[in-house]
Amino acid sequence: MNSPIPNASLLRELADVLSAASFTADGIAAHLGPDATDALYRGEPGVVLHATRGGSQLDQLIRFFLLRRPFTPEQITQMLGRELGLLLIDATLTTPTPSGEVTVAFDIRPHVIAGHERLVVSDCDASVTDVVPGRDHVLGVGAASLSLLSATPVTPVDRVLDLGTGSGVQALAQAGVARKVVATDIHQRALDLAEVTLAANRVDNVELRQGAWFAPVEGERFDRIVANPPFVVGLPEVGHVYRDSGLSLDGATELVVRETPDHLAEDGTACILGAWVHTVDESWQSRVASWLPSEGVSAWVLQRDVVDPGMYVSTWLKDESLDPRSPEAIERTQAWLAHFDDNNVHAIGFGWVFLRDIGDHPSEITAEELSHPFTDPLGPEVEEYFLRAAWLRDKDADDVLDSRFLVRPGVAIEEVSVADTDTGMGFTEEVVRVTRTDGPRFSHEINADLRTVLAGLHPNGLVLRDVVGIFASSRGIESDQEIATLEQSAVAAIADLVRHGVVVPADITEIEDGIEEGAKSNEGSANACVQRLGDCGRRGSWSNRLP
């Protein structure tokens, strides 16, 4: 059974003491060292207990709050001071044990969120102790929260909506950059814990509202919407409020994607974490696209993971601490998989849906798969993507030809050669790619001719039309028809490279100014395969675009 919500003022006082004792994300990592820190996040308490055997105040704080070891009242007052220690014992922050000791009743954990040290209060999970989350369980900073944090911009805006705030993680991230944040949740316990979390961090520009989906903000619009809905794909039932919507299959993601455009302010952006089914009847790209209006939004859909139904069900059963070998888990598995079979589901995808309000323009939808490990923060890329998309939206072929471009600093040429099986010796060139070495590491196949055109681009140099003209002249191409065909192919290739930021229009100064800073902060890797709706093949290959 869940413990009653602790007092907000007590959490503020506790947070001050913890911070002074270096009980912060950075302080704990420095104290434990890399090996024990990794063990802490892997859920291996024995290693961390060994690392905290010294008995210092920080050792004791880690043992009590993070490892949930039982402490005597005397140990707690020694660790926190007599007055605060006694308050902690008397409050709902601790649970007595039969031996007369107490354990912490909540997960009180420091994190770095949007560059700031924060303290997040949530229900205890099963990471270091044997816990079975109940129906009303409220999560802290989990994998889904981290995924959304990494993908959400933190540039200044006026109003932000955090839809389905849970313990307030996304609201914390946005509170530092927004004038006002409205955080909603259907779950009162989640809102209560969010209030405690906000109080512990002395955040006062977040308004909490209770209600389902968009009901608490009916008729309101926001500059940024952040949503981590209960997106688990399954039966239309609610076993756990934090993950189950009561809607069948991917109904939760569909509902949020459908209704978000009605709540975006002019040029507003939405960052939605979600899941969708793959069926035998339609592609996942078409399924997600069907949830969006015919005009008014630019949509960028990124699928990060795809799993088969069996693996998906097993993962979520383990999430609720169910042994997959138990009779209950076997029964649940069969019912879940039967529901997938009845709806022709053969896989489940997971990722992000980013939306930008574009007024009365026809909607644009791009769906991509990020199939490789991806660690770079996506937030800066999201904003730049929509800048690039807006530039393309306003340009026709002649505009593109009359523009100057910058090949993004750090872009690399990859040349892949394989053993020459015809001659039995040496190597033959298989493919040439132009690849970003920052952000999502988008990669596109090119041929020698497009490579030559790219080499001729300069933000203060010739426009694309002139670069293509020089290329044509060097190849002896003189007829107007051949040159027009060459220009058309170059426009198509450059437009696709602009979409992925491999090539940047020289007149988008916001991108040029931010490239160097963004490159410093993005050190992970990913490759992406782009599929635009209506195109059954892989995009990103232009080996036949230029003659």
Side-chain angles (χ1 to χ4, degrees), residues 156-161 179-180 221-225 263-270 355-356:
V157 291
D158 186 40
R159 300 185 78 223
V160 173
L161 170 63
R179 180 185 63 82
K180 181 178 181 179
R221 292 182 179 270
F222 299 86
D223 303 291
R224 181 176 295 148
I225 296 176
H263 295 275
L264 283 176
E266 182 178 356
D267 297 323
T269 303
L355 304 177
R356 170 66 62 88

Side-chain angles (χ1 to χ4, degrees), residues 400-401 403-408 434 450-468 470 490 493-495 497-498 502-506:
V400 174
L401 286 168
S403 297
R404 295 175 175 83
F405 298 90
L406 164 73
V407 175
R408 190 185 203 92
V434 58
L450 181 53
R451 178 175 179 168
T452 300
V453 170
L454 292 177
L457 300 179
H458 191 282
N460 298 316
L462 299 175
V463 298
L464 179 61
R465 190 189 305 274
D466 292 340
V467 173
V468 173
I470 292 174
I494 292 298
L497 293 174
V498 167
V502 177
V503 170
V504 178

Side-chain angles (χ1 to χ4, degrees), residues 81-376:
R82 180 172 177 79
E83 183 177 351
L84 179 59
L86 291 176
L87 285 174
L88 199 73
I89 294 169
D90 291 338
T92 59
L93 272 173
T94 60
T95 302
T97 67
S99 63
E101 296 174 309
V102 296
T103 57
V104 67
F106 292 88
D107 189 271
I108 302 173
R109 189 177 299 265
H111 297 272
V112 176
I113 297 177
H116 300 283
E117 287 278 1
R118 301 294 197 184
L119 200 66
V120 177
V121 184
S122 62
D123 284 322
C124 293
D125 60 18
S127 60
V128 294
T129 54
D130 187 14
V131 173
V132 178
R135 185 183 188 278
D136 293 331
H137 183 84
V138 178
L139 288 178
V141 182
S145 297
L146 291 171
S147 292
L148 188 54
L149 284 172
S150 74
T152 303
V154 286
T155 48
V157 291
D158 186 40
R159 300 185 78 223
V160 173
L161 170 63
D162 176 14
L163 186 76
T165 190
S167 56
V169 176
Q170 308 302 324
L172 273 181
Q174 294 298 314
V177 297
R179 180 185 63 82
K180 181 178 181 179
V181 178
V182 176
T184 69
D185 207 294
I186 192 174
H187 191 195
Q188 184 59 54
R189 182 175 178 82
L191 292 172
D192 291 341
L193 281 172
E195 181 180 10
V196 170
T197 292
L198 295 169
N201 294 280
R202 287 181 161 77
V203 171
D204 59 7
N205 63 334
V206 178
E207 179 185 350
L208 299 172
R209 301 183 191 175
Q210 184 181 21
W213 307 113
F214 290 93
V217 293
E218 184 177 357
E220 297 182 54
R221 292 182 179 270
F222 299 86
D223 303 291
R224 181 176 295 148
I225 296 176
V226 184
N228 182 9
F231 55 74
V232 171
V233 176
L235 294 157
E237 58 188 29
V238 180
H240 297 80
V241 178
Y242 71 87
R243 71 180 205 187
D244 302 321
S245 66
L247 301 174
S248 181
L249 299 178
D250 48 16
T253 303
E254 177 182 356
L255 186 152
V256 174
V257 171
R258 280 190 186 279
E259 296 192 13
T260 290
D262 293 334
H263 295 275
L264 283 176
E266 182 178 356
D267 297 323
T269 303
C271 304
I272 303 165
L273 198 66
W276 38 82
V277 298
H278 292 221
T279 70
V280 297
D281 305 316
E282 63 177 344
S283 68
W284 70 268
Q285 296 96 329
S286 295
R287 185 178 184 86
V288 176
S290 71
W291 302 340
L292 291 163
S294 59
E295 67 174 37
V297 296
S298 177
W300 191 28
V301 186
L302 296 180
Q303 181 169 269
R304 195 190 72 184
D305 295 299
V306 183
V307 296
D308 65 85
M311 177 66 73
Y312 188 82
V313 172
S314 175
T315 297
W316 286 108
L317 289 179
K318 291 176 183 176
D319 173 75
E320 57 184 279
S321 300
L322 266 185
D323 185 340
R325 301 166 298 181
S326 68
E328 180 185 358
I330 292 173
E331 182 180 354
R332 292 271 304 281
T333 298
Q334 290 177 318
W336 208 329
L337 292 178
H339 188 57
F340 283 156
D341 289 341
D342 291 342
N343 290 276
N344 297 320
V345 175
H346 63 82
I348 298 92
F350 171 80
W352 303 275
V353 178
F354 302 107
L355 304 177
R356 170 66 62 88
D357 174 82
I358 58 173
D360 56 3
H361 290 280
S363 291
E364 308 161 349
I365 303 169
T366 299
E368 311 192 68
E369 295 182 18
L370 300 179
S371 56
H372 294 272
F374 188 82
T375 58
D376 288 359

